[in-house]
Amino acid sequence: MPETTEADPGSHRDGFRALMSAFPSGVGVVTTTGRGGRPVGMTCSSLSSVTLNPPTLLVCLRSGSNTLAAVRESGAFAVNLLGREARSTAELFASGAADRFSRVHWTLDREAAGPHLDLDAHAVADCTLSRAVEVGDHMVVLGEVRRVSWDENPRPLLYGLRRYADWAAATGEPAVPGSRR
């Protein structure tokens, strides 16, 4: 293992960034609605299940982001887990582009907690905000899952080592076409 130094706080950030880049995860887009029903959202790979009873997940959102402000105001959000062919959507929602929702297909039914990225997501969880805790420059947002929709044969998009990968390509599994919800 390489040696580390504890004298420079910047080296801790760089080391932490390297550590977390070596921990691949799925890619999600957190969505909700802002004032006047305007859709807002951002790419998020910092998400995790918390408990089954009640079904709860967490996402970590940057403090000061429009998405976080809208989640706190609306009290609800959707987590769209992206499929293998949605790299451009992941990059779009990470970019901060103001017109991102005009560049993807999305729906918002009466029961949705936020826009569903139907063509790009292999699963969507609609959540009610239950708690938000400030940690550094982010908020840990806990959401109670009230509805889930998913493909029976998911093909998740992965992110690790600062690049995207297809689950089948990463695992060597044969390609299996997914079914839509």
Side-chain angles (χ1 to χ4, degrees), residues 95-156:
S95 75
D99 66 341
R100 62 188 93 170
F101 280 94
S102 68
R103 296 166 56 186
V104 296
H105 178 269
W106 59 277
T107 59
L108 182 66
D109 66 40
R110 275 193 339 248
E111 297 176 27
H116 287 203
L117 306 178
D118 297 317
L119 301 180
D120 295 313
H122 67 82
V124 180
D126 289 298
C127 303
T128 301
L129 175 64
S130 59
R131 187 175 315 163
V133 179
E134 185 175 6
V135 179
D137 60 359
H138 278 64
M139 292 291 286
V140 177
V141 177
L142 297 165
E144 189 170 327
V145 179
R146 63 183 196 216
R147 180 175 76 161
V148 176
S149 54
W150 68 92
D151 286 349
E152 290 183 25
N153 297 305
R155 297 290 303 277

Side-chain angles (χ1 to χ4, degrees), residues 47-51 54-59 77 79 125 127 130 141-145:
L47 59 99
S48 178
S49 63
V50 176
T51 180
T56 303
L57 56 76
L58 71 77
V59 296
F77 61 96
V79 176
C127 303
S130 59
V141 177
L142 297 165
E144 189 170 327
V145 179

Side-chain angles (χ1 to χ4, degrees), residues 54-74:
T56 303
L57 56 76
L58 71 77
V59 296
C60 297
L61 304 177
R62 184 179 42 80
S63 297
S65 75
N66 292 334
T67 303
L68 174 60
V71 165
R72 295 183 86 179
E73 186 174 309
S74 71

Side-chain angles (χ1 to χ4, degrees), residues 26-50:
V27 180
V29 172
V30 175
T31 60
T32 191
T33 53
R35 294 184 190 271
R38 180 181 53 87
V40 295
M42 64 185 282
T43 298
C44 179
S45 60
S46 297
L47 59 99
S48 178
S49 63
V50 176

Side-chain angles (χ1 to χ4, degrees), residues 4-33:
T4 60
T5 175
E6 297 194 21
D8 178 16
S11 68
H12 293 302
R13 284 190 294 276
D14 293 343
F16 183 69
R17 187 174 285 129
L19 171 77
M20 295 314 299
S21 78
F23 185 70
S25 67
V27 180
V29 172
V30 175
T31 60
T32 191
T33 53

